[in-house]
Amino acid sequence: MKRLWKMSIPFLVAVSLVGCGNNQPAQPAQPAAQEQAAAQKPAEATTKETVYPLTVTDATGKDVTFPKAPERIVSTSPAETEILFALGLDDRIVGVSDYDDYPDAAKSKPKVGGVVKPNEEAILSQSPDFVIGGISMEKPVAEKLKSLGMPVYVTQPKKLDDIMGNILAMGKITNKQEQAEKLVAQMKDDIARVQDAVKNVKPEDRKKVYLEFSPGWTVGKGEFMDELISLAGATNIASDTVGWNPISVEKIVKDDPDVILYANGITDEKTGKQLEDIIKNRSGWDKIKAIRESQIYGMDQNTLSRPGPRITQGLKEVAKAIYPDLVK
């Protein structure tokens, strides 16, 4: 059951760069010879260029070599697809997973199957020179794709630093280093703003938070969703566990969280009930402070769970739900 839950994360879930003009005073006219010399002088390079061939090591410890900047990219993970689009690689993306839905342009890309075990033939048909596997791709699947001669790069982010590291790595692989650095800088700014907003929350005043992402499942330490709660200045009541865990109904009542967060749009396959209704109507949970005081908030499942460029947007949403008076 736990394995199935881990596999479901990517599809259960989810830098605007503004340029400005610069008015300069008119320059005095140059003699013709000077103008000609200026025209012939090569412009200074301002773009950080990747040097190929490039060899990188992925999250599985395997080296992947790229003889040149990839031109045909297949992503088998929604989070990695979001990174590719954020780096401006729309025209190079030739395949995405069946669950990729952001940005809208991803919906029209050729589909290559699921996030756990994508369709090998569908991937091969696109003649990719770069295949990206996300956190749900199982090791045997990645090894099989590599055995077919595909340059497979697998990511397994656990922390926000891992997510930003993946963005920088993908920027280097695709010769989009400057775009990647700007995106990461914006994400770091988001993190800093949240931390600054909650910096005066005293340890004894930190709110206790319970997060339920799928019916009956929560997250402990060692995962980026737990980190979101910590960065937001609160305490995850499941932080005494590691990774994804089935909940203990009695323990949650005993821990009495101040705030409950859940993923919007999740329906229990067995009962057909919405996750919000399940939480509110559990036996004995009417005694929990968060439910008594209506401190229960639905989070966008994609920004909360996808380890991509929108994860700091998820952080801001989490922080606003926990401390609405501090985080604007």
Side-chain angles (χ1 to χ4, degrees):
M1 178 64 178
K2 186 173 183 179
R3 176 173 170 272
L4 291 175
W5 159 237
K6 288 183 178 179
M7 296 190 301
S8 71
I9 294 175
F11 54 86
L12 280 178
V13 278
V15 175
S16 176
L17 301 176
V18 181
C20 56
N22 188 15
N23 296 324
Q24 297 180 343
Q27 298 296 317
Q30 293 180 312
Q34 288 181 327
E35 290 182 352
Q36 183 176 4
Q40 292 176 346
K41 183 180 179 181
E44 293 185 7
T46 58
T47 303
K48 185 177 289 188
E49 297 285 340
T50 299
V51 177
Y52 299 94
L54 172 71
T55 298
V56 294
T57 304
D58 72 2
T60 68
K62 301 293 184 180
D63 288 342
V64 187
T65 298
F66 298 90
K68 62 177 183 177
E71 297 177 353
R72 297 185 62 80
I73 306 172
V74 169
S75 171
T76 67
S77 168
E80 278 61 41
T81 296
E82 290 194 21
I83 294 174
L84 294 172
F85 274 99
L87 294 180
L89 293 163
D90 187 344
D91 60 338
R92 297 197 225 171
I93 303 170
V94 296
V96 299
S97 87
D98 292 348
Y99 303 98
D100 288 23
D101 56 7
Y102 187 91
D104 284 340
K107 299 176 183 178
S108 61
K109 293 291 183 179
K111 299 298 185 285
V112 296
V115 295
V116 178
K117 188 176 181 180
N119 187 307
E120 297 165 4
E121 293 182 357
I123 295 176
L124 285 169
S125 70
Q126 296 299 331
S127 302
D129 51 8
F130 183 20
V131 179
I132 307 172
I135 57 176
S136 288
M137 178 178 280
E138 295 182 328
K139 187 176 180 180
V141 175
E143 292 177 347
K144 176 66 179 298
L145 293 175
K146 291 178 181 180
S147 72
L148 296 173
M150 286 185 267
V152 180
Y153 183 89
V154 179
T155 69
Q156 295 175 348
K158 290 287 187 178
K159 296 288 187 178
L160 267 67
D161 280 347
D162 298 335
I163 298 170
M164 292 184 286
N166 286 339
I167 292 172
L168 293 174
M170 290 167 66
K172 188 170 185 179
I173 291 169
T174 60
N175 199 23
K176 291 282 188 177
Q177 293 192 59
E178 288 193 345
Q179 292 88 335
E181 289 173 359
K182 289 177 181 178
L183 179 54
V184 168
Q186 179 61 59
M187 294 172 71
K188 288 183 176 180
D189 184 64
D190 290 340
I191 295 170
R193 287 176 180 273
V194 168
Q195 289 183 306
D196 184 64
V198 301
K199 66 182 180 182
N200 292 324
V201 177
K202 297 178 181 179
E204 61 270 23
D205 294 331
R206 289 171 66 94
K207 291 187 178 181
K208 295 183 295 181
V209 176
Y210 167 64
L211 169 65
E212 186 163 347
F213 192 72
S214 182
W217 288 85
T218 191
V219 60
K221 62 185 178 181
E223 300 290 344
F224 59 84
M225 284 194 215
D226 170 71
E227 188 180 10
L228 296 182
I229 296 173
S230 178
L231 288 172
T235 300
N236 177 13
I237 65 169
S239 61
D240 57 344
T241 65
V242 177
W244 298 93
N245 297 278
I247 67 173
S248 166
V249 173
E250 295 77 12
K251 179 181 183 298
I252 295 167
V253 172
K254 180 180 178 181
D255 289 341
D256 195 22
D258 301 294
V259 177
I260 292 177
L261 306 178
Y262 67 93
N264 258 332
I266 299 296
T267 302
D268 182 23
E269 294 181 356
K270 295 181 179 180
T271 65
K273 295 181 179 179
Q274 292 290 308
L275 180 54
E276 178 183 9
D277 294 331
I278 293 173
I279 293 173
K280 289 181 176 180
N281 294 300
R282 281 197 178 109
S283 178
W285 278 35
D286 56 328
K287 300 176 183 178
I288 294 176
K289 181 179 180 180
I291 293 180
R292 293 197 325 266
E293 299 183 359
S294 298
Q295 297 298 298
I296 175 169
Y297 302 100
M299 302 282 102
D300 180 89
Q301 55 179 289
N302 291 339
T303 56
L304 182 67
S305 69
R306 288 184 182 175
R310 293 191 293 162
I311 192 63
T312 54
Q313 180 180 330
L315 168 62
K316 290 188 289 186
E317 292 174 357
V318 166
K320 287 178 183 178
I322 300 171
Y323 297 110
D325 295 335
L326 299 178
V327 183
K328 307 298 182 183

